[in-house]
Amino acid sequence: MSPRAIALIDVNNFYVSCERIFNPKLEGRPVVVLSNNDGCAVSRSDEVKALGVKMGQPWFQLKDLAKKHGIIAYSSNYTLYADMSHRVMNILATFSPNQEIYSIDECFLDLTEFKTQNLTLYGQLIRQRIKQWTGLPVCVGIGPTKTLSKLANHLAKKHPEFNGVCVRQLIKKKCGSNVLRSVKYGASEENLLLN
Ligand SMILES: [Mg+2]
């Protein structure tokens, strides 16, 4: 049996990205979204991640850093995020007859029947359409299993050379085998990703 092609599509910094759609001035600025009662950081912009803020870090610990770097904090608005999630999932459903919604901002699409097409281009089309129709940035990872598509998605997020779409078979060609050094994978996962 020839290998399948499974895509994992994941919105980047989902809650922060939703807030940015309605307030474009937040673009390029350090933004966090806080959990219920403003307890902890549950979504971080890249600028906030670069300051070393961890997922789930309590907001009271971050007050000094926030003051120093002008971090903008939002209370979470789950009605908005659920609505944006529906829009994203409905659009993604048009790209494959086989969709599995995995979380509020992630889903798998079975692209096996599109394997004769250029999967990088297909992934870029998905990315562009989500951006154009919702304003949200997504990354796409494609591999023969769900686990590998998830790992490929991780690489697509971390390495700008993928331009948001990482197809497992092209990892070595695009980045060389050093690309996995930045991430802690088990040896067996590394073999599966590169070979
Ligand atoms: Mg996400």
Side-chain angles (χ1 to χ4, degrees):
M1 210 172 78
S2 76
R4 294 161 73 201
I6 310 292
L8 190 263
I9 299 98
D10 184 0
V11 182
N12 306 347
N13 313 331
F14 181 52
Y15 300 163
V16 164
S17 297
C18 288
E19 299 295 343
R20 278 179 166 164
I21 292 171
F22 295 94
N23 192 350
K25 282 184 190 156
L26 299 175
E27 214 58 62
R29 307 195 45 195
V31 182
V32 287
V33 170
L34 302 174
S35 58
N36 289 335
N37 300 319
D38 296 344
C40 309
V42 286
S43 182
R44 302 157 297 153
S45 70
D46 290 341
E47 297 78 7
V48 165
K49 289 176 188 174
L51 292 172
V53 175
K54 299 280 175 265
M55 188 68 170
Q57 199 165 343
W59 177 234
F60 75 86
Q61 281 181 6
L62 297 170
K63 289 258 165 83
D64 288 345
L65 194 75
K67 223 179 204 171
K68 192 169 166 202
H69 296 279
I71 297 176
I72 303 158
Y74 273 78
S75 300
S76 40
N77 177 350
Y78 291 109
T79 315
L80 168 67
Y81 310 146
D83 181 74
M84 292 308 296
S85 173
H86 284 137
R87 293 185 202 199
V88 169
M89 296 308 166
N90 286 338
I91 297 165
L92 291 174
T94 66
F95 284 94
S96 164
N98 193 343
Q99 178 186 40
E100 182 188 329
I101 296 174
Y102 187 62
S103 74
I104 191 166
D105 71 327
E106 286 172 275
C107 83
F108 293 103
L109 294 179
D110 191 331
L111 302 183
T112 307
E113 66 184 86
F114 306 101
K115 265 176 67 181
T116 49
Q117 296 188 33
N118 180 323
L119 286 176
T120 304
L121 287 182
Y122 199 72
Q124 288 296 349
L125 185 68
I126 293 173
R127 253 186 110 219
Q128 283 158 16
R129 189 157 303 162
I130 297 293
K131 183 75 186 169
Q132 207 169 10
W133 291 10
T134 69
L136 291 170
V138 302
C139 282
V140 181
I142 301 175
T145 65
K146 287 180 191 171
T147 309
L148 289 172
S149 68
K150 183 112 178 143
L151 289 171
N153 188 292
H154 181 82
L155 290 178
K157 282 210 167 76
K158 297 283 171 210
H159 296 272
E161 52 270 55
F162 287 113
N163 195 22
V165 178
C166 173
V167 179
R168 178 259 193 173
Q169 291 92 326
L170 305 175
I171 293 173
K172 229 186 201 166
K173 199 168 131 198
K174 279 207 164 168
C175 302
S177 32
N178 286 341
V179 69
L180 299 181
R181 294 233 170 107
S182 60
V183 195
K184 282 185 188 134
Y185 293 119
S188 58
E189 285 157 344
E190 194 164 315
N191 273 337
L192 282 167
L193 268 174
L194 291 178
N195 300 312

